Amino acid sequence: MRTATNVMQPNPRTLRGVVFFGLIAMLAFGCSESNPDIDGDSDGETDGDMVDGDADGDALDEDGDTENDSDEEIDVDEEADELSIAVCDPGAGPFSLTIDNPYFPLPVGKHLVLEGNEGATLLRVEFSVLDETEIVAGVTTRVVEERETEDGELIEISRNYFAQAPDGTVCYFGEAVDDYDGGEIVGHGGAWRAGEDGNQPGIIMPAAPTVGMRYKQEVAPGVAEDRGEIVQMGESLTVPAGTFEDTLEVRETSPLDIGSSRKVYVRDIGMAVDGAIELIQY
């Protein structure tokens, strides 16, 4: 059997190697025990507030502004360049039944006939200035009757109310409408009167028209909201009734309808073109 006197004694060189590698292992283990953050602390966080992309800490929106910022609202008055309809206000009179505006004269007895084809349909409209008046919104107005037929069949009769303001503007105070089908009245589409349901008189022809003028012709919200813009003046016009040089063209639009319509007026006569129909008699 083996006794204590037989244990091998270590080699001094081997012992020094073991001690050296042991120290290396201890140093490596000590480094892995602690994981200091970038500022030397051991809490794993950086000093100071968290940075979110904005110097003051607000989050950024898509346009680079902070969410707390609000875009500046711009209030644009789309009607700022329109003629004021105040000239036609019932209290702005006295109004006259003598309507002698050069482009919209309405002497009693005047009769215009316009005719034309819209597709395969023959349209005919007759305007007659009646020796009749109607009080609308407290103003005595002249009555102009309009009769419209399609292929000879009556489809509408309207009574339109006009008066002239002191400066020569022709004001439109509304219309009574009877729609026909088979000779019977079936409706009153587009009828309105100034002074009722918030309706106001509009401008049918300015006193001193110039190209670029814009104005409300009908002011009956949700019923009749035609607007006019004078697009040219002085152009030559040839229609079945003749050739005319002193003309005024209006482009009409409405927020209630799609597209626009064209009307041309002749000095000292009145309307000569209304969409597809043209003056054949005056």
Side-chain angles (χ1 to χ4, degrees), residues 234-254:
E235 297 295 319
S236 179
L237 173 71
T238 298
V239 293
T243 297
F244 307 95
E245 302 299 331
D246 196 346
T247 65
L248 181 154
E249 182 175 335
V250 175
R251 182 173 68 92
E252 291 188 353
T253 59
S254 170

Side-chain angles (χ1 to χ4, degrees), residues 5-280:
T5 58
N6 293 327
V7 175
M8 185 179 293
Q9 297 293 320
N11 186 304
R13 182 179 297 175
T14 302
L15 181 60
R16 288 195 298 269
V18 171
V19 172
F20 175 78
F21 286 106
L23 290 173
I24 295 298
M26 290 176 64
L27 289 173
F29 179 78
C31 290
S32 64
E33 279 291 304
S34 64
N35 185 23
D37 56 21
I38 59 175
D39 60 357
D41 296 334
S42 59
D43 58 3
E45 296 182 358
T46 61
D47 289 338
D49 296 333
M50 293 294 290
V51 178
D52 60 2
D54 188 11
D56 60 1
D58 291 332
L60 298 181
D61 58 21
E62 293 181 355
D63 61 0
D65 295 330
T66 64
E67 291 179 350
N68 292 334
D69 293 339
S70 60
D71 293 334
E72 181 180 356
E73 295 184 0
I74 301 176
D75 183 14
V76 178
D77 184 358
E78 296 181 351
E79 302 176 358
D81 60 344
E82 288 186 340
L83 293 179
S84 173
I85 59 172
V87 67
C88 293
D89 185 274
F95 291 90
S96 175
L97 292 175
T98 302
I99 301 173
D100 56 6
N101 182 298
Y103 291 100
F104 205 87
L106 297 177
V108 172
K110 184 182 186 69
H111 186 71
L112 301 178
V113 181
L114 285 78
E115 196 172 85
N117 289 295
E118 189 170 75
T121 302
L122 176 63
L123 304 180
R124 181 183 175 95
V125 178
E126 299 186 31
F127 299 91
S128 301
V129 182
L130 305 181
D131 189 12
E132 298 180 21
T133 62
E134 180 85 8
I135 297 177
V136 183
V139 175
T140 302
T141 65
R142 175 64 62 197
V143 178
V144 177
E145 183 185 78
E146 179 179 340
R147 299 174 67 91
E148 183 175 348
T149 63
E150 292 184 355
D151 292 330
E153 181 180 350
L154 180 65
I155 62 169
E156 181 183 302
I157 296 178
S158 63
R159 291 167 58 87
N160 301 270
Y161 310 127
F162 300 98
Q164 187 162 294
D167 71 342
T169 298
V170 182
C171 302
Y172 188 24
F173 282 76
E175 62 178 316
V177 180
D178 290 332
D179 298 316
Y180 286 81
D181 186 7
E184 301 291 332
I185 296 176
V186 294
H188 308 283
W192 66 282
R193 289 173 71 98
E196 298 180 0
D197 302 320
N199 304 333
Q200 302 176 65
I203 297 171
I204 201 67
M205 185 60 66
T210 58
V211 173
M213 277 186 172
R214 299 172 61 243
Y215 46 92
K216 291 183 175 70
Q217 298 174 319
E218 299 174 309
V219 190
V223 178
E225 300 182 32
D226 285 2
R227 297 174 178 177
E229 179 181 0
I230 299 174
V231 295
Q232 65 181 16
M233 296 181 67
E235 297 295 319
S236 179
L237 173 71
T238 298
V239 293
T243 297
F244 307 95
E245 302 299 331
D246 196 346
T247 65
L248 181 154
E249 182 175 335
V250 175
R251 182 173 68 92
E252 291 188 353
T253 59
S254 170
L256 304 179
D257 298 313
I258 298 175
S260 63
S261 63
R262 171 178 177 256
K263 289 186 178 179
V264 182
Y265 300 85
V266 174
R267 188 180 185 90
D268 298 327
I269 294 176
M271 188 184 297
V273 175
D274 183 0
I277 60 176
E278 298 179 337
L279 185 67
I280 65 170

